[in-house]
Amino acid sequence: LCGENQGGASMIKLYHAPWSRSVRIVWLLEELGLPYELISAPIAPPAPKPFAQNTPFGKVPAIEDQGTAMSESGAILEYVLERYGNGRLVPRRDSALWAPFLQWVHFADSTAFAGLGNIAWHTQFKQDAEKVPEAISDYRVWAEAALDLLESVLVGRDFILGAEFSGADIMLGYTLLVAKSFGVLSSAAHPEADAYLDRLTA
């Protein structure tokens, strides 16, 4: 059982596996000080097939909250911020930052994570990366292209929306941690993104 109950929030059940996208939701709940029950749902490679975990929807992250079950880290983040955030970690909907916030939340797990997810699938779960070297090379190119875009946007900014930390940074932070672990993100090739990750992990 983790977090502190603020604002009368219910005890959210979070299905979690180390190094999975559920890291984002642990991070979010801790930032908000919300109470949650962490339910271990480890991924044991080689995975027999996708969606094979013992969780709602067969994957992590997943949450259960007052009769609601849902998956997808970006959707969970938006749900938690809307229901329990009390305006924290998200711009006002009438702010000029609202649209960029949504863009970067979804960029983090779609555009930026697509190549990384495929690398993870072949290297960690199917464990057949040596059989598909050209595909792995392509996935790295995809991931690096996403980092190139992020690099250009981060110039002169502490966080993705500017001076203030938000839920979009949580989404991007996990993506960059994975990129770093695969050797896709480096200070030489992407100094702005690498320094940004240092700020987030601090």
Side-chain angles (χ1 to χ4, degrees):
L1 304 181
C2 311
E4 299 177 1
N5 195 343
Q6 296 190 10
S10 64
M11 180 70 74
I12 296 171
K13 291 183 179 180
L14 170 60
Y15 294 85
H16 169 66
W19 275 100
S20 76
R21 290 172 173 91
S22 58
V23 167
R24 290 169 170 152
I25 310 307
V26 173
W27 187 354
L28 172 69
L29 296 173
E30 289 288 338
E31 290 284 353
L32 294 174
L34 296 176
Y36 62 99
E37 177 184 357
L38 201 65
I39 301 172
S40 180
I43 303 170
K49 62 178 182 178
F51 308 110
Q53 290 166 267
N54 186 25
T55 73
F57 310 103
K59 59 181 295 190
V60 293
I63 65 167
E64 292 178 325
D65 177 47
Q66 299 189 66
T68 295
M70 63 186 300
S71 190
E72 303 301 332
S73 59
I76 293 171
L77 180 132
E78 290 188 55
Y79 168 85
V80 170
L81 288 175
E82 178 72 21
R83 187 158 192 174
Y84 300 118
N86 294 319
R88 293 172 292 171
L89 304 183
V90 61
R92 292 168 51 97
R93 294 198 177 203
D94 60 358
S95 163
L97 295 177
W98 170 244
F101 170 81
L102 291 177
Q103 172 186 304
W104 293 116
V105 163
H106 294 283
F107 173 89
D109 205 38
S110 54
T111 303
F113 203 83
L116 298 170
N118 282 318
I119 293 171
W121 178 248
H122 286 286
T123 59
Q124 298 182 6
F125 302 118
K126 289 192 72 178
Q127 299 182 353
D128 67 349
E130 71 283 354
K131 298 178 181 178
V132 289
E134 291 185 4
I136 298 297
S137 179
D138 284 344
Y139 300 147
R140 290 182 67 88
V141 169
W142 298 357
E144 288 166 359
L147 291 179
D148 290 345
L149 174 58
L150 194 59
E151 183 77 4
S152 66
V153 172
L154 286 168
V155 174
R157 300 186 185 187
D158 288 334
F159 301 105
I160 193 60
L161 298 181
E164 297 295 325
F165 176 81
S166 75
D169 297 298
I170 292 174
M171 292 293 294
L172 286 165
Y174 170 76
T175 299
L176 294 181
L177 281 171
V178 173
K180 186 91 167 182
S181 73
F182 288 155
V184 177
L185 172 62
S186 70
S187 59
H190 298 99
E192 294 286 346
D194 192 60
Y196 168 59
L197 177 59
D198 285 344
R199 290 191 292 276
L200 295 179
T201 55

